[in-house]
Amino acid sequence: MTAGAGRPASGRAGLAVLVLLQLAVTAAPLALLPVLGLQVARMEAARMGATPAFWTALVLAAPAVTTLAMTPAWTVLARRLSLSSLVVWTGLLSAASCGLIALATDPLLLVVGRLVQGLAGGGVVLALAFRATGGSAGRGFTLMQQAVSAGCLLGPLAGGLAFERGGIGGLMLACAGLILVLTLAAARAARGLAAEPEAPRARADTCDSPTLLPLLLAGTCGSAGAFAFVAFFPTWASAHDAGLYTPGLIGLLHSLSWAVALLILPLWARGLDGAAPVLGLGLSLVGCGLAYAGVPLGLGLGGIVALRLLQGAVFAGQAPALFAAAEKAGPSRTTALARARAGLTVGQLLGPVAAGLALAPLGPSGPLLVAAGLSLAGALALVPVLLAPHPVARSRAP
């Protein structure tokens, strides 16, 4: 383990703190999202000259704006700041975002809080920290994804319970405090670690860079397919059998996908460290596409459960595989991870829009077929990379 050379216990402690910090910065915003529309309605957004639906959409989209705007800045910041300082940046801004959301009495402050969330850049900085501390691409990025999966499970649950008791503000303040404490510990664990490898990589600025484009396209398509499916699966389920697919069952099916992701990610770590990450990314995209396409086939509840479990298992490795492959192809680790994260963010925005356009002409199954098509299109984008005699497609992860 890179981080723990000579100090394995310290390395394990550093990874544990990073896991907790990643879990917290993932769970905190997700605690708000399932009840966001209701929270905005409570603020009587209509008095501000717009409907609650308008403000809800604005709050949802806000982090993407600053995430994309920050993409070119991370390479510069990584050259000027230590990895420890970058972790402090992320932690402080993530905590500030939670604090602003906690204190918000109108939707405008919610928008500001979410803009600050995008500025924090946790998806880039913590990926760099996990990579440096984890010792290998497979181990570092899959451990990060396990923490993300746990946050995706716990955040909505905590948010729903807090909203029912009128305690969203208190929950977000508690999250802010927890993030600050974990940030101090994580920054200490990251001391002495570098965001970039010490030795420059051969040909990093020449033949490898063009390969990053199809990887980013694949990541964007995969993210778009996943978010399109999540957004419109409830629509299909309600139209298919509203009596069976209650909101509780839909939520349970969604949770099952994250649960299986938590369990399967250690296997993904071994696979990504032992084989080409591009191949792993392609298999994940194909598996997700087939799982999405299988839902409208009328397989019954048992079949839907099986497909959701399959989708959770194959989707689990998608982001780690993308990060590992992008690192090999990009002009620098920071640049590659920042662009990969930006691609995932673009997919989150485009996927639901593309799927929504298919709802009227194709009915409730249309958005799910669009989700499948997007994921399979991402896999097709990788074909030239897989067929080319290229280090990204052929070499073993370092």
Side-chain angles (χ1 to χ4, degrees):
M1 179 184 294
T2 301
R7 297 184 304 140
S10 176
R12 288 195 297 271
L15 278 173
V17 170
L18 279 176
V19 166
L20 292 175
L21 179 58
Q22 180 67 74
L23 192 159
V25 299
T26 302
L30 287 177
L32 174 69
L33 294 191
V35 298
L36 177 60
L38 298 173
Q39 184 76 354
V40 170
R42 281 185 177 179
M43 294 175 174
E44 298 182 284
R47 293 189 306 175
M48 302 184 66
T51 65
F54 167 83
W55 284 106
T56 299
L58 201 60
V59 173
L60 285 171
V65 175
T66 41
T67 295
L68 295 175
M70 285 293 295
T71 298
W74 290 117
T75 303
V76 177
L77 289 172
R79 285 198 299 261
R80 296 182 178 180
L81 301 176
S82 66
L83 183 57
S84 180
S85 297
L86 289 174
V87 170
V88 171
W89 168 299
T90 290
L92 289 179
L93 288 180
S94 296
S97 171
C98 292
L100 288 169
I101 291 171
L103 299 175
T105 56
D106 61 73
L108 183 58
L109 195 53
L110 283 180
V111 173
V112 174
R114 295 273 288 167
L115 287 170
V116 173
Q117 178 190 328
L119 286 175
V124 177
V125 173
L126 294 183
L128 291 170
F130 273 99
R131 179 64 178 92
T133 310
S136 71
R139 174 170 166 74
F141 294 139
T142 54
L143 190 58
M144 176 182 178
Q145 188 62 27
Q146 279 187 295
V148 169
S149 299
C152 290
L153 269 174
L154 296 178
L157 176 62
L161 293 174
F163 183 82
E164 289 178 357
R165 293 162 174 76
I168 280 288
L171 175 63
M172 298 306 293
L173 283 177
C175 287
L178 177 62
I179 288 171
L180 286 175
V181 172
L182 292 172
T183 295
L184 295 176
R188 182 176 182 180
R191 287 179 183 171
L193 299 177
E196 293 286 345
E198 291 183 7
R201 293 175 295 167
R203 301 183 297 171
D205 296 312
T206 56
C207 69
D208 282 358
S209 294
T211 307
L212 187 59
L213 294 177
L215 292 175
L216 297 181
L217 178 59
T220 299
C221 287
S223 176
F227 275 77
F229 179 84
V230 169
F232 286 93
F233 174 73
T235 302
W236 173 86
S238 297
H240 182 70
D241 190 340
L244 174 62
Y245 291 101
T246 63
L249 179 58
I250 292 172
L252 177 61
L253 291 172
H254 187 61
S255 297
L256 284 176
S257 295
W258 287 116
V260 74
L262 277 168
L263 296 175
I264 205 72
L265 273 162
L267 296 180
W268 272 104
R270 296 178 187 177
L272 292 178
D273 282 340
V278 178
L279 179 60
L281 178 58
L283 292 174
S284 174
L285 289 165
V286 170
C288 285
L290 295 177
Y292 302 150
V295 169
L297 297 181
L299 302 178
L301 180 58
I304 297 300
V305 170
L307 287 172
R308 296 297 282 132
L309 292 175
L310 170 65
Q311 186 262 330
V314 294
F315 182 74
Q318 199 165 119
L322 173 64
F323 289 155
E327 179 188 340
K328 284 177 171 291
S332 73
R333 178 182 292 172
T334 304
T335 299
L337 295 186
R339 291 176 182 174
R341 175 56 60 184
L344 295 178
T345 300
V346 170
Q348 293 173 17
L349 295 175
L350 295 182
V353 174
L357 294 175
L359 181 60
L362 300 178
S365 296
L368 305 190
L369 297 178
V370 169
L374 286 167
S375 190
L376 294 174
L380 286 176
L382 296 176
V383 171
V385 184
L386 289 167
L387 294 180
H390 199 281
V392 174
R394 304 296 182 199
S395 65
R396 298 170 68 90

